[in-house]
Structures are given as structure tokens and as C-alpha cells.
Amino acid sequence: PAPELAADAMEAIRAAMVAQTTAMPMRMSMENEGELTTVEVVDANTIQMSSPGFGFILVDGKSFVKEGDVWTENPQMASMAAMVAKNFDTSEVEKSLALVTGASQLPDEELNGESTRVYQFTSDVTGDGSMMTTSKIWVRDSDGLPVQVQSADDEGTSVTMRYEYEPGIVVEAPPVAAP
């Protein structure tokens, strides 16, 4: 069943972003200046990230890095995993939402054949006003989950993130090159 609709834009954005913290497995495709990065998340401790020339996997408490075609175990990459995992920690999401201002609802849109509610907001990325972003978020009517976010910072850099919630996503440890 579709979730209750929030009375105001900020509450709708909060509900969607908090709901996403438990909506796994999921795939996020992020396009930044023509480069595509894909992140697959089974849970906060099972993550795979790939972009041109680079890959990263966290599984069973171990982190692996792919450079070129070669996978190696790399315990130092655990900090990257922790950074990615913050996106799925409700308390961290609430902290980032505290920096959101100017939330408003835009006209509803159909996106990839699905009805969505669209919201716009501004975020103080650094918490001190030195880096602001303006974002639009498309929230699927059927389940209240974000399906797309477009953000642009005050320097003109833009990022589009698309989300798919796929129960069949599996992340496994890669074959590792011999030392």
C-alpha cells in the first residue's frame, strides 16, 4: 500500500530519505559530469561500487579494491565503506536533513512510467554556509521511496542519482590476485 502523504514538503522529503535507509537491496546509479558510478547495497555492511577503472567491494567485514582488471584485499578501504554506510544510517540522514532549507513541492511527474511527487530543497553541505546545493527529489507514489535526485552546487557541479530497489542484488567477495 502507498504510504500516507506528508502534509508539508520537508516532512515528505524526510519520510522518503529515512525510508530509503531500510529499503534494501538497492542500486544507485550516479552520473557526475558524464562519468557513471554504480553502487549496489545489500545492507550497510555489504556494498559494491564500480566506476570506470575502479571497483570496491565490502563483504563479510573485508574490503576489496579493483584497479584495472585486478582485485586485491585492502583493509585500508574500510573507511570508504564507512562513508557509504552513513547514507543508510537513519541518525546520519537526520543530521543531513537538519541542514535542509527552502523545501517546496513541485508539480507531480511521471518518471520511467511511475507516478512521482517532486520536491526541491537547498542544503548547506558543509554546515557553515560555504557550500550550498539545490536538489530535486522524485518520490515514488507507490511506496514513498526516492527514485531520482538531481543536485547542483553553487559552483555549477551537478550530480544525478537514480535508485532501483531490487531484491535480487547479491554482492560477493571477488577472486583476489595472488600476492
Side-chain angles (χ1 to χ4, degrees):
E4 289 290 318
L5 298 176
D8 75 12
M10 188 61 229
E11 186 50 41
I13 293 165
R14 173 176 279 106
M17 294 178 77
V18 168
Q20 187 179 46
T21 65
T22 59
M24 299 187 220
M26 67 164 286
R27 177 178 299 113
M28 178 188 75
S29 301
M30 181 174 64
E31 189 174 336
N32 183 356
E33 306 206 5
E35 185 171 296
L36 183 66
T37 299
T38 302
V39 180
E40 294 180 320
V41 181
V42 174
D43 57 48
N45 298 303
T46 310
I47 300 166
Q48 178 168 332
M49 182 175 81
S50 59
S51 61
F54 178 78
F56 169 78
I57 293 177
L58 172 69
V59 66
D60 296 330
K62 296 180 180 179
S63 54
F64 304 88
V65 176
K66 180 180 182 183
E67 295 185 56
D69 292 329
V70 179
W71 284 99
T72 56
E73 188 171 350
N74 187 332
Q76 288 79 26
M77 292 301 287
S79 62
M80 178 182 274
M83 182 181 72
V84 173
K86 278 185 170 186
N87 293 308
F88 305 101
D89 178 328
T90 303
S91 64
E92 291 296 325
V93 169
E94 289 287 357
K95 285 180 193 174
S96 70
L97 288 167
L99 302 174
V100 168
T101 59
S104 62
Q105 184 169 358
L106 302 175
D108 295 353
E109 292 183 21
E110 189 170 297
L111 184 66
N112 300 322
E114 297 183 287
S115 297
T116 65
R117 297 197 182 263
V118 184
Y119 302 92
Q120 183 169 303
F121 58 94
T122 301
S123 298
D124 180 353
V125 177
T126 57
D128 65 6
S130 65
M131 174 67 73
M132 304 298 287
T133 63
T134 300
S135 301
K136 282 175 63 175
I137 183 172
W138 286 255
V139 178
R140 191 165 51 196
D141 282 348
S142 63
D143 57 11
L145 291 170
V147 291
Q148 181 168 286
V149 176
Q150 288 180 337
S151 298
D153 65 25
D154 49 10
E155 294 177 0
T157 302
S158 64
V159 176
T160 300
M161 294 169 284
R162 293 178 182 86
Y163 302 95
E164 302 169 74
Y165 305 91
E166 305 248 351
I169 293 173
V170 175
V171 174
E172 299 176 324
V176 176

